[in-house]
mmCIF file with all atom_site columns, all heavy atoms in Angstrom:
data_model
loop_
_atom_site.group_PDB
_atom_site.id
_atom_site.type_symbol
_atom_site.label_atom_id
_atom_site.label_alt_id
_atom_site.label_comp_id
_atom_site.label_asym_id
_atom_site.label_entity_id
_atom_site.label_seq_id
_atom_site.pdbx_PDB_ins_code
_atom_site.Cartn_x
_atom_site.Cartn_y
_atom_site.Cartn_z
_atom_site.occupancy
_atom_site.B_iso_or_equiv
_atom_site.pdbx_formal_charge
_atom_site.auth_seq_id
_atom_site.auth_comp_id
_atom_site.auth_asym_id
_atom_site.auth_atom_id
_atom_site.pdbx_PDB_model_num
ATOM 1  N N   . TYR X 1 69 ? -22.230 -12.834 8.674 1.00 96.00 ? 96  TYR X N   1
ATOM 2  C CA  . TYR X 1 69 ? -20.935 -13.361 8.348 1.00 96.00 ? 96  TYR X CA  1
ATOM 3  C C   . TYR X 1 69 ? -20.571 -12.999 6.874 1.00 96.00 ? 96  TYR X C   1
ATOM 4  O O   . TYR X 1 69 ? -19.466 -12.548 6.658 1.00 96.00 ? 96  TYR X O   1
ATOM 5  C CB  . TYR X 1 69 ? -20.992 -14.926 8.452 1.00 96.00 ? 96  TYR X CB  1
ATOM 6  C CG  . TYR X 1 69 ? -19.783 -15.649 7.931 1.00 96.00 ? 96  TYR X CG  1
ATOM 7  C CD1 . TYR X 1 69 ? -18.555 -15.639 8.580 1.00 96.00 ? 96  TYR X CD1 1
ATOM 8  C CD2 . TYR X 1 69 ? -19.875 -16.358 6.713 1.00 96.00 ? 96  TYR X CD2 1
ATOM 9  C CE1 . TYR X 1 69 ? -17.479 -16.264 8.035 1.00 96.00 ? 96  TYR X CE1 1
ATOM 10 C CE2 . TYR X 1 69 ? -18.795 -17.024 6.164 1.00 96.00 ? 96  TYR X CE2 1
ATOM 11 C CZ  . TYR X 1 69 ? -17.525 -16.970 6.844 1.00 96.00 ? 96  TYR X CZ  1
ATOM 12 O OH  . TYR X 1 69 ? -16.493 -17.595 6.327 1.00 96.00 ? 96  TYR X OH  1
ATOM 13 N N   . GLU X 1 70 ? -21.470 -13.167 5.985 1.00 97.00 ? 97  GLU X N   1
ATOM 14 C CA  . GLU X 1 70 ? -21.202 -12.774 4.570 1.00 97.00 ? 97  GLU X CA  1
ATOM 15 C C   . GLU X 1 70 ? -20.934 -11.296 4.430 1.00 97.00 ? 97  GLU X C   1
ATOM 16 O O   . GLU X 1 70 ? -20.053 -10.869 3.667 1.00 97.00 ? 97  GLU X O   1
ATOM 17 C CB  . GLU X 1 70 ? -22.335 -13.266 3.663 1.00 97.00 ? 97  GLU X CB  1
ATOM 18 C CG  . GLU X 1 70 ? -22.463 -14.737 3.529 1.00 97.00 ? 97  GLU X CG  1
ATOM 19 C CD  . GLU X 1 70 ? -21.224 -15.412 2.903 1.00 97.00 ? 97  GLU X CD  1
ATOM 20 O OE1 . GLU X 1 70 ? -20.544 -14.731 2.115 1.00 97.00 ? 97  GLU X OE1 1
ATOM 21 O OE2 . GLU X 1 70 ? -20.931 -16.521 3.275 1.00 97.00 ? 97  GLU X OE2 1
ATOM 22 N N   . SER X 1 71 ? -21.635 -10.512 5.200 1.00 97.00 ? 98  SER X N   1
ATOM 23 C CA  . SER X 1 71 ? -21.395 -9.041  5.206 1.00 97.00 ? 98  SER X CA  1
ATOM 24 C C   . SER X 1 71 ? -20.057 -8.695  5.719 1.00 97.00 ? 98  SER X C   1
ATOM 25 O O   . SER X 1 71 ? -19.320 -7.844  5.145 1.00 97.00 ? 98  SER X O   1
ATOM 26 C CB  . SER X 1 71 ? -22.537 -8.367  6.023 1.00 97.00 ? 98  SER X CB  1
ATOM 27 O OG  . SER X 1 71 ? -22.399 -7.000  6.014 1.00 97.00 ? 98  SER X OG  1
ATOM 28 N N   . ALA X 1 72 ? -19.632 -9.306  6.853 1.00 97.00 ? 99  ALA X N   1
ATOM 29 C CA  . ALA X 1 72 ? -18.307 -9.051  7.380 1.00 97.00 ? 99  ALA X CA  1
ATOM 30 C C   . ALA X 1 72 ? -17.204 -9.518  6.453 1.00 97.00 ? 99  ALA X C   1
ATOM 31 O O   . ALA X 1 72 ? -16.185 -8.856  6.201 1.00 97.00 ? 99  ALA X O   1
ATOM 32 C CB  . ALA X 1 72 ? -18.155 -9.744  8.736 1.00 97.00 ? 99  ALA X CB  1
ATOM 33 N N   . LYS X 1 73 ? -17.438 -10.648 5.788 1.00 97.00 ? 100 LYS X N   1
ATOM 34 C CA  . LYS X 1 73 ? -16.498 -11.178 4.808 1.00 97.00 ? 100 LYS X CA  1
ATOM 35 C C   . LYS X 1 73 ? -16.368 -10.248 3.635 1.00 97.00 ? 100 LYS X C   1
ATOM 36 O O   . LYS X 1 73 ? -15.225 -9.950  3.186 1.00 97.00 ? 100 LYS X O   1
ATOM 37 C CB  . LYS X 1 73 ? -16.897 -12.571 4.369 1.00 97.00 ? 100 LYS X CB  1
ATOM 38 C CG  . LYS X 1 73 ? -15.952 -13.309 3.535 1.00 97.00 ? 100 LYS X CG  1
ATOM 39 C CD  . LYS X 1 73 ? -16.425 -14.720 3.229 1.00 97.00 ? 100 LYS X CD  1
ATOM 40 C CE  . LYS X 1 73 ? -15.553 -15.469 2.301 1.00 97.00 ? 100 LYS X CE  1
ATOM 41 N NZ  . LYS X 1 73 ? -16.041 -16.843 2.043 1.00 97.00 ? 100 LYS X NZ  1
ATOM 42 N N   . SER X 1 74 ? -17.465 -9.817  3.112 1.00 98.00 ? 101 SER X N   1
ATOM 43 C CA  . SER X 1 74 ? -17.431 -8.847  1.970 1.00 98.00 ? 101 SER X CA  1
ATOM 44 C C   . SER X 1 74 ? -16.734 -7.538  2.359 1.00 98.00 ? 101 SER X C   1
ATOM 45 O O   . SER X 1 74 ? -15.953 -6.957  1.565 1.00 98.00 ? 101 SER X O   1
ATOM 46 C CB  . SER X 1 74 ? -18.862 -8.600  1.561 1.00 98.00 ? 101 SER X CB  1
ATOM 47 O OG  . SER X 1 74 ? -18.854 -7.694  0.462 1.00 98.00 ? 101 SER X OG  1
ATOM 48 N N   . ALA X 1 75 ? -17.001 -7.048  3.533 1.00 98.00 ? 102 ALA X N   1
ATOM 49 C CA  . ALA X 1 75 ? -16.369 -5.826  4.014 1.00 98.00 ? 102 ALA X CA  1
ATOM 50 C C   . ALA X 1 75 ? -14.856 -5.989  4.106 1.00 98.00 ? 102 ALA X C   1
ATOM 51 O O   . ALA X 1 75 ? -14.090 -5.088  3.785 1.00 98.00 ? 102 ALA X O   1
ATOM 52 C CB  . ALA X 1 75 ? -16.951 -5.357  5.282 1.00 98.00 ? 102 ALA X CB  1
ATOM 53 N N   . ARG X 1 76 ? -14.413 -7.136  4.617 1.00 97.00 ? 103 ARG X N   1
ATOM 54 C CA  . ARG X 1 76 ? -12.957 -7.397  4.713 1.00 97.00 ? 103 ARG X CA  1
ATOM 55 C C   . ARG X 1 76 ? -12.355 -7.417  3.326 1.00 97.00 ? 103 ARG X C   1
ATOM 56 O O   . ARG X 1 76 ? -11.292 -6.857  3.052 1.00 97.00 ? 103 ARG X O   1
ATOM 57 C CB  . ARG X 1 76 ? -12.649 -8.665  5.436 1.00 97.00 ? 103 ARG X CB  1
ATOM 58 C CG  . ARG X 1 76 ? -11.129 -8.991  5.507 1.00 97.00 ? 103 ARG X CG  1
ATOM 59 C CD  . ARG X 1 76 ? -10.804 -10.332 6.030 1.00 97.00 ? 103 ARG X CD  1
ATOM 60 N NE  . ARG X 1 76 ? -11.557 -11.416 5.496 1.00 97.00 ? 103 ARG X NE  1
ATOM 61 C CZ  . ARG X 1 76 ? -11.279 -12.014 4.290 1.00 97.00 ? 103 ARG X CZ  1
ATOM 62 N NH1 . ARG X 1 76 ? -10.334 -11.604 3.562 1.00 97.00 ? 103 ARG X NH1 1
ATOM 63 N NH2 . ARG X 1 76 ? -12.014 -13.080 3.931 1.00 97.00 ? 103 ARG X NH2 1
#
Side-chain angles (χ1 to χ4, degrees):
Y96 171 74
E97 290 300 327
S98 182
K100 187 175 177 181
S101 177
R103 178 187 47 81

